[in-house]
Amino acid sequence: MKVLPIKTKSKHYKIYIGNNIVNQIDKITKKENINFEKSLFIIDRNVPNSIIKKIKSKIFSEKKFIYLFNASEKNKNLSSINSILKILLKNNFTRNDVIICLGGGITGDVSGFAASIYKRGLKFINIPSTLLSQVDSSIGGKTGINNKFGKNLIGSFYQPDLVISDTKLLESLPRREIICGYAEIFKHSLIKDKKLFFFLDKNLEKIVKLKKKFIEKAILESCKIKKEIVEKDEKESNLRKSLNLGHTFGHAYEAALNYSKKLNHGEAVLYGILSAAKLSKKIRSLKNNDYDLIVSHLSKLNFDNLNKFFKTKDLNRIIKFMILDKKNISKKINFITINKIGSVNTKNQISPPKIKQFLKIELTK
Ligand code: GLY
């Protein structure tokens, strides 16, 4: 078991990473001195019953409540938050009580947001059950919900008190879901760590097949990179923007396909990273050698050509979503570009017609 301390301005907490460690949640909370009388478990309905039982039986609290959540972007809304708040209020939870989240990124975002606004904040333990949430959304305190105006437009920065990332929980997930989380690990290597990139490139299959030693190292190294970034820039003034590598393109691709099952979030991010690498090469920031390494790694995962999904007639729709991106601060679109493997630039502003022209060439290749 590995323990990674996270020290942000607003809170210090630890991430525990290991195989079958939810069994030790009682010992871990005791060691971390996290005490409470009442606990509300917010659990993604997709989590197998056997795991729910195991975790529940290990938590000692006077009163335990459960809210089963149908995790989906559609249900990541104010109405779910209201249902959670009602349980907390009806049962007179105090700030010393706890929300324990068991689920993926959507469940984590909803639970964290509820925890942040109930009596201005109660204790929050996150047990991420997907690779994506273990390497990304459970670290750094972004919480939020969607509404008809867009995704994550209402939210807060609220750090958890404890994160337990158990790789055993990943074993029931389909390969596609693992690749989705892998996208963020790969992204982290491009942002900050060439050594991690070579480790991923050499051991790709072992990692996605969840070979214990390899998946644990990939998660730990990836979390270390996100830790370093959020510790320096918790509220995303500048450095944290680097974590959006591949996401300006990726978000637009998934939105342009109406978030269909054809392309999930992580897959869109991998295509987004491919586009960011091509753009970086075009603007002469990324040299051929590193570019070739990135493209070759993505092609091992079969992410090689966007025209499986889009034709030139879709370009206006893609650009429209890029313009709506909430990270833009002018009429230009903000892109994270790659300088070399392990270093990115957060400050590129490119006009919509220029990006359209760039994508047009990519789609007609
Ligand atoms: N997922 C990007 C961030 O946490 O900032």
Side-chain angles (χ1 to χ4, degrees):
M1 181 158 64
K2 298 278 187 309
V3 184
L4 192 64
I6 310 280
K7 295 179 184 164
T8 65
K9 282 205 183 95
S10 64
K11 206 184 269 178
H12 290 188
Y13 57 99
K14 292 199 180 117
I15 303 180
Y16 281 71
I17 301 167
N19 192 268
N20 223 353
I21 57 173
V22 288
N23 276 331
Q24 299 173 48
I25 187 166
D26 46 349
K27 290 194 194 104
I28 297 173
T29 46
K30 199 163 169 217
K31 187 156 179 246
E32 295 306 321
N33 210 7
I34 302 174
N35 305 303
F36 41 85
E37 281 177 13
K38 293 172 193 159
S39 50
L40 172 62
F41 289 80
I42 301 180
I43 302 174
D44 180 342
R45 272 192 202 276
N46 293 316
V47 174
N49 250 331
S50 53
I51 297 172
I52 301 177
K53 267 194 191 153
K54 203 192 282 179
I55 295 175
K56 245 188 87 191
S57 70
K58 287 277 173 182
I59 287 284
F60 298 110
S61 74
E62 266 176 31
K63 284 190 181 148
K64 295 179 203 174
F65 302 86
I66 290 198
Y67 176 75
L68 285 177
F69 180 53
N70 280 321
S72 68
E73 290 292 346
K74 204 170 136 254
N75 292 338
K76 188 176 160 179
N77 61 19
L78 208 49
S79 149
S80 303
I81 294 293
N82 270 328
S83 310
I84 294 166
L85 295 179
K86 243 188 229 165
I87 301 175
L88 298 171
L89 287 164
K90 258 188 167 169
N91 296 291
N92 199 21
F93 271 60
T94 73
R95 280 182 180 163
N96 281 329
D97 294 320
V98 69
I99 283 182
I100 301 174
C101 165
L102 175 57
I106 293 178
T107 313
D109 281 4
V110 166
S111 306
F113 185 53
S116 76
I117 57 173
Y118 179 78
K119 298 190 177 171
R120 300 202 177 89
L122 82 167
K123 291 177 187 169
F124 176 42
I125 297 177
N126 198 356
I127 310 173
S129 64
T130 61
L131 184 57
L132 180 66
S133 53
Q134 292 189 356
V135 297
D136 188 13
S137 55
S138 65
I139 316 156
K142 276 191 183 174
T143 81
I145 52 171
N146 307 329
N147 68 8
K148 70 172 185 185
F149 293 96
K151 279 175 77 173
N152 294 325
L153 293 183
I154 298 170
S156 58
F157 286 99
Y158 191 68
Q159 306 295 339
D161 293 276
L162 172 69
V163 180
I164 299 180
S165 286
D166 188 338
T167 53
K168 187 98 188 143
L169 302 181
L170 308 178
E171 287 170 11
S172 59
L173 300 175
R175 182 180 164 101
R176 234 183 130 186
E177 184 66 47
I178 298 294
I179 300 288
C180 191
Y182 180 79
E184 303 293 340
I185 300 179
F186 177 55
K187 178 194 82 177
H188 288 154
S189 79
L190 297 180
I191 295 171
K192 204 89 189 70
D193 190 346
K194 195 161 189 173
K195 218 169 123 203
L196 176 60
F197 172 87
F198 284 123
F199 170 78
L200 299 177
D201 202 44
K202 187 167 167 219
N203 301 298
L204 178 60
E205 265 316 295
K206 291 187 190 114
I207 294 165
V208 295
K209 287 196 172 125
L210 304 178
K211 299 282 176 230
K212 203 166 160 282
K213 205 174 101 199
F214 296 91
I215 185 69
E216 272 184 40
K217 182 173 161 78
I219 293 174
L220 178 69
E221 294 307 320
S222 179
C223 288
K224 277 187 193 164
I225 295 165
K226 186 150 183 194
K227 162 196 155 82
E228 221 180 279
I229 293 171
V230 299
E231 282 182 348
K232 287 190 186 131
D233 181 18
E234 182 181 7
K235 300 271 169 78
E236 204 171 38
S237 314
N238 182 31
L239 182 66
R240 189 165 180 170
K241 288 189 186 143
S242 61
L243 296 172
N244 290 315
L245 173 62
H247 284 62
T248 310
F249 287 108
H251 280 149
Y253 298 153
E254 52 180 342
L257 288 172
N258 292 323
Y259 299 98
S260 98
K261 292 207 163 62
K262 273 196 245 169
L263 190 69
N264 67 27
H265 174 71
E267 291 164 344
V269 167
L270 286 171
Y271 279 112
I273 292 174
L274 180 63
S275 301
K278 287 178 189 254
L279 178 67
S280 308
K281 187 178 166 212
K282 188 171 166 49
I283 62 169
R284 295 200 171 83
S285 104
L286 181 63
K287 300 222 166 65
N288 283 345
N289 202 4
D290 277 3
Y291 171 80
D292 290 344
L293 287 169
I294 295 169
V295 171
S296 136
H297 187 77
L298 286 168
S299 71
K300 287 182 198 165
L301 288 162
N302 281 327
F303 287 79
D304 40 23
N305 207 324
L306 250 190
N307 51 26
K308 281 179 215 159
F309 297 97
F310 300 108
K311 304 278 168 275
T312 44
K313 69 174 172 41
D314 301 313
L315 275 172
N316 284 341
R317 204 169 141 70
I318 295 173
I319 302 294
K320 185 188 93 186
F321 285 110
M322 285 182 182
I323 293 169
L324 286 176
D325 193 305
K326 61 179 174 302
K327 295 181 294 294
N328 298 329
I329 42 169
S330 69
K331 287 208 171 104
K332 291 187 171 176
I333 304 171
N334 182 254
F335 290 94
I336 313 299
T337 51
I338 307 170
N339 303 325
K340 58 183 181 183
I341 295 175
S343 161
V344 292
N345 178 355
T346 57
K347 296 207 167 104
N348 264 297
Q349 310 279 336
I350 301 178
S351 72
K354 275 200 181 142
I355 279 298
K356 189 172 169 187
Q357 184 58 23
F358 160 77
L359 278 175
K360 191 171 175 187
I361 297 168
E362 287 309 314
L363 287 176
T364 43
K365 262 181 189 163

